[in-house]
Amino acid sequence: MQTSILEQDGNMVAILEGRLDAVAAQETEKAMQPLCECEGKDIIIDCTHLEYISSAGLRIFLRILQNAQGKGQQVFIKNINDTVRAVFAMTGFINIFKLI
Amino acid sequence: MGTIITLDAHGEELMEQYRQLLPTLEKLNDEAYNQLKKSLDEQGIYVTAIEHRVKSEKSLAGKLELKGAKYKSIDDITDLVGLRIITFYSDDVDKVAVLAQRLFDIDWKESVDKRKLHELNSFGYNSLHYICRLKTGGPRFELQMRTALQHVWSTIEHDTGYKGDVKIPREYKRQFGRLAGMMELMDEEFSRLRLSITEYRRQTLSLVKSGQLDDVPLSRDSFRNYLETNPFDRLNRRIASVNQAEIYPVSMMSYLRVLEILGMETLGDIQRFIDENSEDAFQLAVAQLAITDIDILASNTALQYLCLVHVLKKGGGRDGLKKLYDTINGESETNTMLADLMYQQAATLPFMHKE
């Protein structure tokens, strides 16, 4: 699992690649920490190359969302594949996030 | 073989007083019971049992043999007539106590709230004992009030602990204490549960009162009030139990539009929508979730599955599901994939094959 963070057009962008499962969760959450620390910027989680997400991954996304909402920031999730979309749908989280 | 009890002269004198008093005690036993029973019925307090008895000659003899010198006359013995009320809930003990205070004269010097006697770090015999007298006078009697769980505990403890032939080791006494602690927690939880159910009924009833549920139009305000009664909790918990999942609270207000599009006009429509679709929604959710290791669900999960089942039962098919997902998630071609996936899963379930 690879996680890169960059600033793009005034937004914080996290690019995820691989399988975000229970094994990768801890390391990924650590890598995504700058998203929780940033102020005044919207957050984009680019999932173009995210193959799979587990409950542990969902919890990371939820923590980022909760933190951002508290500071008036928005969180967008970009380009999720069908497998990830199905997980978001069956857990009821699909309309909690802004999918782009 | 019974034990032979020998009483001294004072004991024999008290026993004679008891025999003379016996008809009065029998009457008192009936009168106190009748007054209590009538009052409990009038107040709508349901109890598991009301026990009442006049102390037997044998039991009194045993007491007099052990501590007869303590009593100057038979009037000093306060449990010749004894009543015991066993309630379902711990807060009913307090209600019964208030009722007893109204019905009888209470001898406060002799009455004991054993529930308050414990040290902070100990548990045990929790019961409320009042020494009472009828308002019309006569001998005193004892009224014990306790919950069913307190009763079970103290009966078993009495049975095993006070036989007196062998000293009970500390570890066993401690085990009784632990069980008493557990019973106390259970009593509290039962009371709390009753309170939650009462609150749920009250909220629903107030909606019903403001018109029947069928007369309450679906609106932002009425839907918000309705959600406060947690109408989807039961199904959510049932679905979550499949994977022992955590339920993550999210707002369900966005579903108002979905429900309106599905043709719901009143809260009554929603109540029927829940009643008619819950079982099938559960089956559909299980079909999806049981094959995954997902252990977190949004609190709108039950509502989402109810909507999906509703659309399918109305013959909406894949297109209906796509439209539903478009409403829930926003219009997108990707919703076709979700609709297909859901339709395939649902096609295997019995509700899709009913005429």
PDB file of all heavy atoms in Angstrom, chain A residues 52 54-55 58-59 62 66 82 85-87 89-96, chain B residues 246 248 250 254 288 293-296 298 300-301 304-305 328-329 334 337 341:
ATOM      1  N   TYR A  52      -8.885  -1.905  -3.026  1.00  0.00           N
ATOM      2  CA  TYR A  52      -9.815  -2.515  -2.057  1.00  0.00           C
ATOM      3  C   TYR A  52      -9.801  -1.682  -0.773  1.00  0.00           C
ATOM      4  O   TYR A  52      -8.763  -1.114  -0.412  1.00  0.00           O
ATOM      5  CB  TYR A  52      -9.355  -3.951  -1.765  1.00  0.00           C
ATOM      6  CG  TYR A  52     -10.051  -4.607  -0.594  1.00  0.00           C
ATOM      7  CD1 TYR A  52     -11.321  -5.172  -0.734  1.00  0.00           C
ATOM      8  CD2 TYR A  52      -9.443  -4.648   0.662  1.00  0.00           C
ATOM      9  CE1 TYR A  52     -11.958  -5.751   0.364  1.00  0.00           C
ATOM     10  CE2 TYR A  52     -10.072  -5.230   1.750  1.00  0.00           C
ATOM     11  CZ  TYR A  52     -11.333  -5.781   1.593  1.00  0.00           C
ATOM     12  OH  TYR A  52     -11.962  -6.352   2.661  1.00  0.00           O
ATOM     13  N   SER A  54     -11.101  -1.986   3.391  1.00  0.00           N
ATOM     14  CA  SER A  54     -11.722  -2.789   4.458  1.00  0.00           C
ATOM     15  C   SER A  54     -12.372  -1.837   5.475  1.00  0.00           C
ATOM     16  O   SER A  54     -12.295  -0.617   5.337  1.00  0.00           O
ATOM     17  CB  SER A  54     -10.661  -3.620   5.173  1.00  0.00           C
ATOM     18  OG  SER A  54      -9.844  -2.744   5.916  1.00  0.00           O
ATOM     19  N   SER A  55     -12.953  -2.419   6.523  1.00  0.00           N
ATOM     20  CA  SER A  55     -13.550  -1.587   7.581  1.00  0.00           C
ATOM     21  C   SER A  55     -12.505  -0.656   8.205  1.00  0.00           C
ATOM     22  O   SER A  55     -12.805   0.486   8.536  1.00  0.00           O
ATOM     23  CB  SER A  55     -14.118  -2.462   8.688  1.00  0.00           C
ATOM     24  OG  SER A  55     -15.107  -3.296   8.180  1.00  0.00           O
ATOM     25  N   LEU A  58     -12.229   2.260   6.012  1.00  0.00           N
ATOM     26  CA  LEU A  58     -13.407   3.138   6.155  1.00  0.00           C
ATOM     27  C   LEU A  58     -13.272   4.010   7.397  1.00  0.00           C
ATOM     28  O   LEU A  58     -13.604   5.199   7.378  1.00  0.00           O
ATOM     29  CB  LEU A  58     -14.678   2.293   6.285  1.00  0.00           C
ATOM     30  CG  LEU A  58     -15.276   1.695   5.005  1.00  0.00           C
ATOM     31  CD1 LEU A  58     -16.441   0.787   5.351  1.00  0.00           C
ATOM     32  CD2 LEU A  58     -15.738   2.809   4.062  1.00  0.00           C
ATOM     33  N   ARG A  59     -12.779   3.405   8.463  1.00  0.00           N
ATOM     34  CA  ARG A  59     -12.636   4.173   9.715  1.00  0.00           C
ATOM     35  C   ARG A  59     -11.650   5.326   9.545  1.00  0.00           C
ATOM     36  O   ARG A  59     -11.846   6.408  10.096  1.00  0.00           O
ATOM     37  CB  ARG A  59     -12.189   3.250  10.860  1.00  0.00           C
ATOM     38  CG  ARG A  59     -13.288   2.332  11.339  1.00  0.00           C
ATOM     39  CD  ARG A  59     -12.913   1.639  12.666  1.00  0.00           C
ATOM     40  NE  ARG A  59     -14.060   0.925  13.189  1.00  0.00           N
ATOM     41  CZ  ARG A  59     -14.378  -0.344  12.883  1.00  0.00           C
ATOM     42  NH1 ARG A  59     -13.601  -1.027  12.063  1.00  0.00           N
ATOM     43  NH2 ARG A  59     -15.450  -0.919  13.395  1.00  0.00           N
ATOM     44  N   LEU A  62     -13.446   8.018   7.737  1.00  0.00           N
ATOM     45  CA  LEU A  62     -14.434   8.668   8.623  1.00  0.00           C
ATOM     46  C   LEU A  62     -13.763   9.623   9.596  1.00  0.00           C
ATOM     47  O   LEU A  62     -14.280  10.700   9.876  1.00  0.00           O
ATOM     48  CB  LEU A  62     -15.236   7.603   9.388  1.00  0.00           C
ATOM     49  CG  LEU A  62     -16.267   6.843   8.541  1.00  0.00           C
ATOM     50  CD1 LEU A  62     -16.761   5.600   9.261  1.00  0.00           C
ATOM     51  CD2 LEU A  62     -17.448   7.755   8.184  1.00  0.00           C
ATOM     52  N   GLN A  66     -14.558  13.511   9.828  1.00  0.00           N
ATOM     53  CA  GLN A  66     -15.012  14.112  11.095  1.00  0.00           C
ATOM     54  C   GLN A  66     -14.129  15.303  11.471  1.00  0.00           C
ATOM     55  O   GLN A  66     -14.614  16.372  11.841  1.00  0.00           O
ATOM     56  CB  GLN A  66     -14.930  13.053  12.184  1.00  0.00           C
ATOM     57  CG  GLN A  66     -15.955  13.237  13.275  1.00  0.00           C
ATOM     58  CD  GLN A  66     -15.990  12.021  14.195  1.00  0.00           C
ATOM     59  OE1 GLN A  66     -15.068  11.199  14.213  1.00  0.00           O
ATOM     60  NE2 GLN A  66     -17.043  11.896  14.966  1.00  0.00           N
ATOM     61  N   ASP A  82     -15.240   0.015  -8.735  1.00  0.00           N
ATOM     62  CA  ASP A  82     -16.523  -0.623  -8.414  1.00  0.00           C
ATOM     63  C   ASP A  82     -16.486  -1.399  -7.089  1.00  0.00           C
ATOM     64  O   ASP A  82     -17.468  -1.410  -6.345  1.00  0.00           O
ATOM     65  CB  ASP A  82     -16.926  -1.573  -9.557  1.00  0.00           C
ATOM     66  CG  ASP A  82     -17.399  -0.789 -10.781  1.00  0.00           C
ATOM     67  OD1 ASP A  82     -17.499   0.454 -10.675  1.00  0.00           O
ATOM     68  OD2 ASP A  82     -17.660  -1.424 -11.820  1.00  0.00           O
ATOM     69  N   ARG A  85     -16.641   1.111  -4.348  1.00  0.00           N
ATOM     70  CA  ARG A  85     -17.973   1.735  -4.376  1.00  0.00           C
ATOM     71  C   ARG A  85     -19.006   0.800  -3.733  1.00  0.00           C
ATOM     72  O   ARG A  85     -19.864   1.237  -2.969  1.00  0.00           O
ATOM     73  CB  ARG A  85     -18.380   2.062  -5.821  1.00  0.00           C
ATOM     74  CG  ARG A  85     -19.658   2.875  -5.930  1.00  0.00           C
ATOM     75  CD  ARG A  85     -19.951   3.205  -7.393  1.00  0.00           C
ATOM     76  NE  ARG A  85     -18.928   4.072  -7.966  1.00  0.00           N
ATOM     77  CZ  ARG A  85     -18.928   5.394  -7.868  1.00  0.00           C
ATOM     78  NH1 ARG A  85     -19.907   6.010  -7.244  1.00  0.00           N
ATOM     79  NH2 ARG A  85     -17.964   6.114  -8.408  1.00  0.00           N
ATOM     80  N   ALA A  86     -18.875  -0.495  -4.021  1.00  0.00           N
ATOM     81  CA  ALA A  86     -19.831  -1.463  -3.461  1.00  0.00           C
ATOM     82  C   ALA A  86     -19.706  -1.501  -1.932  1.00  0.00           C
ATOM     83  O   ALA A  86     -20.719  -1.596  -1.225  1.00  0.00           O
ATOM     84  CB  ALA A  86     -19.572  -2.840  -4.043  1.00  0.00           C
ATOM     85  N   VAL A  87     -18.480  -1.408  -1.431  1.00  0.00           N
ATOM     86  CA  VAL A  87     -18.283  -1.395   0.033  1.00  0.00           C
ATOM     87  C   VAL A  87     -18.934  -0.138   0.635  1.00  0.00           C
ATOM     88  O   VAL A  87     -19.653  -0.212   1.630  1.00  0.00           O
ATOM     89  CB  VAL A  87     -16.779  -1.465   0.414  1.00  0.00           C
ATOM     90  CG1 VAL A  87     -16.586  -1.247   1.907  1.00  0.00           C
ATOM     91  CG2 VAL A  87     -16.177  -2.789  -0.023  1.00  0.00           C
ATOM     92  N   ALA A  89     -21.378   1.483  -0.595  1.00  0.00           N
ATOM     93  CA  ALA A  89     -22.838   1.395  -0.724  1.00  0.00           C
ATOM     94  C   ALA A  89     -23.427   0.471   0.324  1.00  0.00           C
ATOM     95  O   ALA A  89     -24.397   0.816   0.999  1.00  0.00           O
ATOM     96  CB  ALA A  89     -23.197   0.912  -2.125  1.00  0.00           C
ATOM     97  N   MET A  90     -22.843  -0.715   0.476  1.00  0.00           N
ATOM     98  CA  MET A  90     -23.485  -1.679   1.382  1.00  0.00           C
ATOM     99  C   MET A  90     -23.352  -1.286   2.855  1.00  0.00           C
ATOM    100  O   MET A  90     -24.117  -1.759   3.682  1.00  0.00           O
ATOM    101  CB  MET A  90     -22.979  -3.102   1.109  1.00  0.00           C
ATOM    102  CG  MET A  90     -21.609  -3.442   1.549  1.00  0.00           C
ATOM    103  SD  MET A  90     -21.272  -5.195   1.274  1.00  0.00           S
ATOM    104  CE  MET A  90     -20.741  -5.207  -0.415  1.00  0.00           C
ATOM    105  N   THR A  91     -22.412  -0.401   3.158  1.00  0.00           N
ATOM    106  CA  THR A  91     -22.265   0.037   4.555  1.00  0.00           C
ATOM    107  C   THR A  91     -23.023   1.332   4.846  1.00  0.00           C
ATOM    108  O   THR A  91     -23.019   1.809   5.980  1.00  0.00           O
ATOM    109  CB  THR A  91     -20.773   0.279   4.887  1.00  0.00           C
ATOM    110  OG1 THR A  91     -20.238   1.159   3.892  1.00  0.00           O
ATOM    111  CG2 THR A  91     -19.988  -1.018   4.894  1.00  0.00           C
ATOM    112  N   GLY A  92     -23.625   1.897   3.807  1.00  0.00           N
ATOM    113  CA  GLY A  92     -24.416   3.114   4.008  1.00  0.00           C
ATOM    114  C   GLY A  92     -23.595   4.395   4.019  1.00  0.00           C
ATOM    115  O   GLY A  92     -24.137   5.480   4.240  1.00  0.00           O
ATOM    116  N   PHE A  93     -22.276   4.290   3.745  1.00  0.00           N
ATOM    117  CA  PHE A  93     -21.443   5.497   3.827  1.00  0.00           C
ATOM    118  C   PHE A  93     -21.369   6.266   2.502  1.00  0.00           C
ATOM    119  O   PHE A  93     -20.761   7.317   2.445  1.00  0.00           O
ATOM    120  CB  PHE A  93     -20.017   5.139   4.279  1.00  0.00           C
ATOM    121  CG  PHE A  93     -19.964   4.720   5.727  1.00  0.00           C
ATOM    122  CD1 PHE A  93     -19.654   3.425   6.080  1.00  0.00           C
ATOM    123  CD2 PHE A  93     -20.248   5.628   6.731  1.00  0.00           C
ATOM    124  CE1 PHE A  93     -19.619   3.039   7.410  1.00  0.00           C
ATOM    125  CE2 PHE A  93     -20.218   5.253   8.070  1.00  0.00           C
ATOM    126  CZ  PHE A  93     -19.909   3.949   8.411  1.00  0.00           C
ATOM    127  N   ILE A  94     -21.993   5.696   1.479  1.00  0.00           N
ATOM    128  CA  ILE A  94     -21.790   6.269   0.138  1.00  0.00           C
ATOM    129  C   ILE A  94     -22.267   7.713   0.030  1.00  0.00           C
ATOM    130  O   ILE A  94     -21.644   8.525  -0.635  1.00  0.00           O
ATOM    131  CB  ILE A  94     -22.424   5.366  -0.951  1.00  0.00           C
ATOM    132  CG1 ILE A  94     -21.894   5.762  -2.327  1.00  0.00           C
ATOM    133  CG2 ILE A  94     -23.943   5.376  -0.890  1.00  0.00           C
ATOM    134  CD1 ILE A  94     -21.978   4.670  -3.356  1.00  0.00           C
ATOM    135  N   ASN A  95     -23.358   8.048   0.720  1.00  0.00           N
ATOM    136  CA  ASN A  95     -23.815   9.438   0.592  1.00  0.00           C
ATOM    137  C   ASN A  95     -23.334  10.319   1.741  1.00  0.00           C
ATOM    138  O   ASN A  95     -23.797  11.424   1.925  1.00  0.00           O
ATOM    139  CB  ASN A  95     -25.337   9.513   0.413  1.00  0.00           C
ATOM    140  CG  ASN A  95     -26.071   9.083   1.655  1.00  0.00           C
ATOM    141  OD1 ASN A  95     -25.502   8.390   2.500  1.00  0.00           O
ATOM    142  ND2 ASN A  95     -27.322   9.496   1.787  1.00  0.00           N
ATOM    143  N   ILE A  96     -22.410   9.799   2.512  1.00  0.00           N
ATOM    144  CA  ILE A  96     -21.810  10.600   3.590  1.00  0.00           C
ATOM    145  C   ILE A  96     -20.632  11.399   3.017  1.00  0.00           C
ATOM    146  O   ILE A  96     -20.353  12.514   3.424  1.00  0.00           O
ATOM    147  CB  ILE A  96     -21.299   9.672   4.730  1.00  0.00           C
ATOM    148  CG1 ILE A  96     -22.426   8.777   5.256  1.00  0.00           C
ATOM    149  CG2 ILE A  96     -20.657  10.466   5.860  1.00  0.00           C
ATOM    150  CD1 ILE A  96     -23.635   9.537   5.732  1.00  0.00           C
TER     151      ILE A  96
ATOM    152  N   GLU B 246     -19.927  -2.360  14.309  1.00  0.00           N
ATOM    153  CA  GLU B 246     -20.199  -1.098  15.019  1.00  0.00           C
ATOM    154  C   GLU B 246     -21.207  -0.303  14.167  1.00  0.00           C
ATOM    155  O   GLU B 246     -21.139  -0.350  12.936  1.00  0.00           O
ATOM    156  CB  GLU B 246     -18.868  -0.344  15.114  1.00  0.00           C
ATOM    157  CG  GLU B 246     -18.960   1.097  15.509  1.00  0.00           C
ATOM    158  CD  GLU B 246     -17.649   1.853  15.267  1.00  0.00           C
ATOM    159  OE1 GLU B 246     -16.629   1.234  14.884  1.00  0.00           O
ATOM    160  OE2 GLU B 246     -17.657   3.082  15.456  1.00  0.00           O
ATOM    161  N   TYR B 248     -22.226   3.296  13.119  1.00  0.00           N
ATOM    162  CA  TYR B 248     -21.660   4.644  13.131  1.00  0.00           C
ATOM    163  C   TYR B 248     -22.792   5.649  12.878  1.00  0.00           C
ATOM    164  O   TYR B 248     -23.462   5.577  11.858  1.00  0.00           O
ATOM    165  CB  TYR B 248     -20.596   4.730  12.035  1.00  0.00           C
ATOM    166  CG  TYR B 248     -19.803   6.001  12.021  1.00  0.00           C
ATOM    167  CD1 TYR B 248     -18.604   6.101  12.708  1.00  0.00           C
ATOM    168  CD2 TYR B 248     -20.245   7.115  11.305  1.00  0.00           C
ATOM    169  CE1 TYR B 248     -17.856   7.265  12.678  1.00  0.00           C
ATOM    170  CE2 TYR B 248     -19.512   8.288  11.280  1.00  0.00           C
ATOM    171  CZ  TYR B 248     -18.321   8.357  11.968  1.00  0.00           C
ATOM    172  OH  TYR B 248     -17.586   9.526  11.949  1.00  0.00           O
ATOM    173  N   VAL B 250     -24.955   8.500  11.646  1.00  0.00           N
ATOM    174  CA  VAL B 250     -24.963   9.515  10.583  1.00  0.00           C
ATOM    175  C   VAL B 250     -26.388  10.069  10.483  1.00  0.00           C
ATOM    176  O   VAL B 250     -27.334   9.436  10.961  1.00  0.00           O
ATOM    177  CB  VAL B 250     -24.552   8.927   9.204  1.00  0.00           C
ATOM    178  CG1 VAL B 250     -23.137   8.386   9.226  1.00  0.00           C
ATOM    179  CG2 VAL B 250     -25.511   7.840   8.751  1.00  0.00           C
ATOM    180  N   SER B 254     -31.298  13.065   4.941  1.00  0.00           N
ATOM    181  CA  SER B 254     -31.216  13.079   3.474  1.00  0.00           C
ATOM    182  C   SER B 254     -32.175  12.052   2.861  1.00  0.00           C
ATOM    183  O   SER B 254     -32.498  12.136   1.678  1.00  0.00           O
ATOM    184  CB  SER B 254     -29.786  12.813   3.019  1.00  0.00           C
ATOM    185  OG  SER B 254     -29.376  11.546   3.455  1.00  0.00           O
ATOM    186  N   GLN B 288     -25.685  -9.705   1.534  1.00  0.00           N
ATOM    187  CA  GLN B 288     -24.558  -8.868   1.117  1.00  0.00           C
ATOM    188  C   GLN B 288     -23.408  -8.893   2.108  1.00  0.00           C
ATOM    189  O   GLN B 288     -22.259  -9.026   1.725  1.00  0.00           O
ATOM    190  CB  GLN B 288     -25.039  -7.426   0.985  1.00  0.00           C
ATOM    191  CG  GLN B 288     -25.926  -7.191  -0.199  1.00  0.00           C
ATOM    192  CD  GLN B 288     -25.396  -6.061  -1.040  1.00  0.00           C
ATOM    193  OE1 GLN B 288     -25.189  -4.977  -0.524  1.00  0.00           O
ATOM    194  NE2 GLN B 288     -25.170  -6.313  -2.305  1.00  0.00           N
ATOM    195  N   ASP B 293     -16.003  -9.099   5.580  1.00  0.00           N
ATOM    196  CA  ASP B 293     -15.550  -8.960   6.973  1.00  0.00           C
ATOM    197  C   ASP B 293     -15.821  -7.531   7.468  1.00  0.00           C
ATOM    198  O   ASP B 293     -15.175  -7.046   8.397  1.00  0.00           O
ATOM    199  CB  ASP B 293     -14.066  -9.325   7.097  1.00  0.00           C
ATOM    200  CG  ASP B 293     -13.199  -8.468   6.186  1.00  0.00           C
ATOM    201  OD1 ASP B 293     -13.770  -7.624   5.446  1.00  0.00           O
ATOM    202  OD2 ASP B 293     -11.967  -8.624   6.203  1.00  0.00           O
ATOM    203  N   ILE B 294     -16.796  -6.868   6.863  1.00  0.00           N
ATOM    204  CA  ILE B 294     -17.102  -5.477   7.229  1.00  0.00           C
ATOM    205  C   ILE B 294     -17.662  -5.423   8.646  1.00  0.00           C
ATOM    206  O   ILE B 294     -18.627  -6.125   8.959  1.00  0.00           O
ATOM    207  CB  ILE B 294     -18.108  -4.869   6.232  1.00  0.00           C
ATOM    208  CG1 ILE B 294     -17.408  -4.621   4.903  1.00  0.00           C
ATOM    209  CG2 ILE B 294     -18.713  -3.584   6.773  1.00  0.00           C
ATOM    210  CD1 ILE B 294     -18.344  -4.276   3.786  1.00  0.00           C
ATOM    211  N   ASP B 295     -17.052  -4.604   9.493  1.00  0.00           N
ATOM    212  CA  ASP B 295     -17.560  -4.525  10.860  1.00  0.00           C
ATOM    213  C   ASP B 295     -17.862  -3.083  11.283  1.00  0.00           C
ATOM    214  O   ASP B 295     -17.757  -2.717  12.440  1.00  0.00           O
ATOM    215  CB  ASP B 295     -16.614  -5.218  11.847  1.00  0.00           C
ATOM    216  CG  ASP B 295     -15.277  -4.523  11.926  1.00  0.00           C
ATOM    217  OD1 ASP B 295     -15.098  -3.493  11.259  1.00  0.00           O
ATOM    218  OD2 ASP B 295     -14.403  -5.007  12.668  1.00  0.00           O
ATOM    219  N   ILE B 296     -18.225  -2.274  10.298  1.00  0.00           N
ATOM    220  CA  ILE B 296     -18.726  -0.920  10.612  1.00  0.00           C
ATOM    221  C   ILE B 296     -19.835  -0.588   9.606  1.00  0.00           C
ATOM    222  O   ILE B 296     -19.681  -0.850   8.403  1.00  0.00           O
ATOM    223  CB  ILE B 296     -17.579   0.135  10.582  1.00  0.00           C
ATOM    224  CG1 ILE B 296     -18.123   1.517  10.987  1.00  0.00           C
ATOM    225  CG2 ILE B 296     -16.873   0.189   9.242  1.00  0.00           C
ATOM    226  CD1 ILE B 296     -17.042   2.544  11.309  1.00  0.00           C
ATOM    227  N   ALA B 298     -23.015   2.397   8.684  1.00  0.00           N
ATOM    228  CA  ALA B 298     -23.647   3.687   8.991  1.00  0.00           C
ATOM    229  C   ALA B 298     -25.052   3.423   9.536  1.00  0.00           C
ATOM    230  O   ALA B 298     -25.679   2.416   9.184  1.00  0.00           O
ATOM    231  CB  ALA B 298     -23.717   4.532   7.718  1.00  0.00           C
ATOM    232  N   ASN B 300     -27.670   4.622   8.750  1.00  0.00           N
ATOM    233  CA  ASN B 300     -28.733   4.669   7.737  1.00  0.00           C
ATOM    234  C   ASN B 300     -28.841   3.342   6.974  1.00  0.00           C
ATOM    235  O   ASN B 300     -29.618   3.238   6.031  1.00  0.00           O
ATOM    236  CB  ASN B 300     -28.509   5.837   6.768  1.00  0.00           C
ATOM    237  CG  ASN B 300     -27.203   5.690   5.990  1.00  0.00           C
ATOM    238  OD1 ASN B 300     -26.643   4.607   5.911  1.00  0.00           O
ATOM    239  ND2 ASN B 300     -26.716   6.789   5.445  1.00  0.00           N
ATOM    240  N   THR B 301     -28.052   2.349   7.388  1.00  0.00           N
ATOM    241  CA  THR B 301     -28.018   1.077   6.646  1.00  0.00           C
ATOM    242  C   THR B 301     -29.397   0.426   6.568  1.00  0.00           C
ATOM    243  O   THR B 301     -29.847   0.012   5.495  1.00  0.00           O
ATOM    244  CB  THR B 301     -27.004   0.117   7.308  1.00  0.00           C
ATOM    245  OG1 THR B 301     -25.743   0.761   7.337  1.00  0.00           O
ATOM    246  CG2 THR B 301     -26.892  -1.185   6.533  1.00  0.00           C
ATOM    247  N   GLN B 304     -31.640   2.221   4.228  1.00  0.00           N
ATOM    248  CA  GLN B 304     -31.258   2.003   2.841  1.00  0.00           C
ATOM    249  C   GLN B 304     -31.788   0.652   2.337  1.00  0.00           C
ATOM    250  O   GLN B 304     -32.386   0.567   1.259  1.00  0.00           O
ATOM    251  CB  GLN B 304     -29.727   2.042   2.708  1.00  0.00           C
ATOM    252  CG  GLN B 304     -29.266   1.775   1.296  1.00  0.00           C
ATOM    253  CD  GLN B 304     -27.752   1.690   1.165  1.00  0.00           C
ATOM    254  OE1 GLN B 304     -27.110   2.622   0.741  1.00  0.00           O
ATOM    255  NE2 GLN B 304     -27.193   0.558   1.561  1.00  0.00           N
ATOM    256  N   TYR B 305     -31.585  -0.405   3.131  1.00  0.00           N
ATOM    257  CA  TYR B 305     -32.053  -1.733   2.698  1.00  0.00           C
ATOM    258  C   TYR B 305     -33.591  -1.782   2.628  1.00  0.00           C
ATOM    259  O   TYR B 305     -34.154  -2.457   1.777  1.00  0.00           O
ATOM    260  CB  TYR B 305     -31.500  -2.832   3.612  1.00  0.00           C
ATOM    261  CG  TYR B 305     -30.062  -3.187   3.255  1.00  0.00           C
ATOM    262  CD1 TYR B 305     -28.995  -2.720   4.006  1.00  0.00           C
ATOM    263  CD2 TYR B 305     -29.779  -3.969   2.138  1.00  0.00           C
ATOM    264  CE1 TYR B 305     -27.680  -3.020   3.671  1.00  0.00           C
ATOM    265  CE2 TYR B 305     -28.465  -4.275   1.786  1.00  0.00           C
ATOM    266  CZ  TYR B 305     -27.421  -3.793   2.558  1.00  0.00           C
ATOM    267  OH  TYR B 305     -26.132  -4.098   2.203  1.00  0.00           O
ATOM    268  N   ILE B 328     -30.303   8.628  -3.796  1.00  0.00           N
ATOM    269  CA  ILE B 328     -29.508   8.570  -2.550  1.00  0.00           C
ATOM    270  C   ILE B 328     -28.113   9.164  -2.763  1.00  0.00           C
ATOM    271  O   ILE B 328     -27.634   9.979  -1.973  1.00  0.00           O
ATOM    272  CB  ILE B 328     -29.370   7.108  -2.058  1.00  0.00           C
ATOM    273  CG1 ILE B 328     -30.736   6.499  -1.687  1.00  0.00           C
ATOM    274  CG2 ILE B 328     -28.430   7.025  -0.853  1.00  0.00           C
ATOM    275  CD1 ILE B 328     -30.696   5.008  -1.352  1.00  0.00           C
ATOM    276  N   ASN B 329     -27.466   8.745  -3.867  1.00  0.00           N
ATOM    277  CA  ASN B 329     -26.041   9.094  -4.046  1.00  0.00           C
ATOM    278  C   ASN B 329     -25.806  10.263  -4.988  1.00  0.00           C
ATOM    279  O   ASN B 329     -24.671  10.693  -5.146  1.00  0.00           O
ATOM    280  CB  ASN B 329     -25.272   7.895  -4.636  1.00  0.00           C
ATOM    281  CG  ASN B 329     -25.509   6.621  -3.857  1.00  0.00           C
ATOM    282  OD1 ASN B 329     -25.795   6.681  -2.672  1.00  0.00           O
ATOM    283  ND2 ASN B 329     -25.400   5.486  -4.520  1.00  0.00           N
ATOM    284  N   THR B 334     -22.366   5.350 -12.518  1.00  0.00           N
ATOM    285  CA  THR B 334     -21.794   4.295 -11.653  1.00  0.00           C
ATOM    286  C   THR B 334     -22.891   3.621 -10.817  1.00  0.00           C
ATOM    287  O   THR B 334     -22.712   2.511 -10.345  1.00  0.00           O
ATOM    288  CB  THR B 334     -20.732   4.879 -10.692  1.00  0.00           C
ATOM    289  OG1 THR B 334     -21.340   5.939  -9.959  1.00  0.00           O
ATOM    290  CG2 THR B 334     -19.527   5.387 -11.425  1.00  0.00           C
ATOM    291  N   MET B 337     -23.955   0.092 -11.909  1.00  0.00           N
ATOM    292  CA  MET B 337     -23.203  -1.045 -11.383  1.00  0.00           C
ATOM    293  C   MET B 337     -23.769  -1.487 -10.022  1.00  0.00           C
ATOM    294  O   MET B 337     -23.987  -2.673  -9.768  1.00  0.00           O
ATOM    295  CB  MET B 337     -21.728  -0.640 -11.248  1.00  0.00           C
ATOM    296  CG  MET B 337     -20.800  -1.711 -10.724  1.00  0.00           C
ATOM    297  SD  MET B 337     -20.786  -1.896  -8.919  1.00  0.00           S
ATOM    298  CE  MET B 337     -20.064  -0.342  -8.401  1.00  0.00           C
ATOM    299  N   LEU B 341     -25.522  -5.053  -9.133  1.00  0.00           N
ATOM    300  CA  LEU B 341     -24.973  -5.882  -8.040  1.00  0.00           C
ATOM    301  C   LEU B 341     -26.083  -6.239  -7.052  1.00  0.00           C
ATOM    302  O   LEU B 341     -26.245  -7.395  -6.646  1.00  0.00           O
ATOM    303  CB  LEU B 341     -23.869  -5.089  -7.340  1.00  0.00           C
ATOM    304  CG  LEU B 341     -23.030  -5.813  -6.302  1.00  0.00           C
ATOM    305  CD1 LEU B 341     -22.072  -6.782  -6.973  1.00  0.00           C
ATOM    306  CD2 LEU B 341     -22.243  -4.800  -5.474  1.00  0.00           C
TER     307      LEU B 341
END
